[in-house]
Amino acid sequence: MKTFLLQFFTWWNSQTLGTRFHTWRFGKKVGEDEAGNVYYEGGVDSEGRTRRWVIYRDYSEASKIPPGWHGWIHHRVDTPPSSENYKAREWQKPHRANLTGTPGAYRPQGSILTNQHRPQVTGDYDAWTPGS
C-alpha cells in the first residue's frame, strides 16, 4: 500500500503510476546496473529513434546513471552495457551522490556558509572604469 501511495503522489520515488503503466505496455527490459536501476526501451520518439528510459531503484536522480549506461540512454552508443563486456575506463570515477543542498555540499574558501573566518579585505582592489 505504501508503494502505491508513493507512486501515486510523488514523482521522485522510483516511478509514477503512469510510468509503470507505460513501461508495462511498451517497455522491453534491456538491463540493470550495479545500483539496481533498470533500463528499458520501446516505442519511437519524435526523431524516429527508439525511446529509452530508466526506472531508478530509489530516488530519481540522473547523476546515478553509470557512464556506460549514460552513453546508451543518450543514444551515443547502440549496444547497451548488458549486451557487451563493458569495463569502465581507469579515468572514470565511481558515482558520488549529488550533495547540493546538504551539509556536505562544496563550500569554497571565503563562503559565508562555511565555519571558517573570512579573510579581512585589504583594499588593494581597484575597480575598472571605462576609458582609464
Side-chain angles (χ1 to χ4, degrees), residues 2 7 29 44 58:
K2 178 184 173 187
Q7 290 179 357
K29 184 177 176 181
V44 178
D58 302 332

Side-chain angles (χ1 to χ4, degrees), residues 99-107:
L99 299 176
T100 303
T102 68
Y106 172 70
R107 310 273 192 245

Side-chain angles (χ1 to χ4, degrees), residues 91-107:
W91 47 265
Q92 290 175 324
K93 296 181 179 181
H95 176 264
R96 280 191 353 202
N98 183 354
L99 299 176
T100 303
T102 68
Y106 172 70
R107 310 273 192 245

Side-chain angles (χ1 to χ4, degrees), residues 14 25 43 67-68 86 91 97 122:
S14 184
R25 190 151 178 233
Y86 176 80
W91 47 265
T122 60

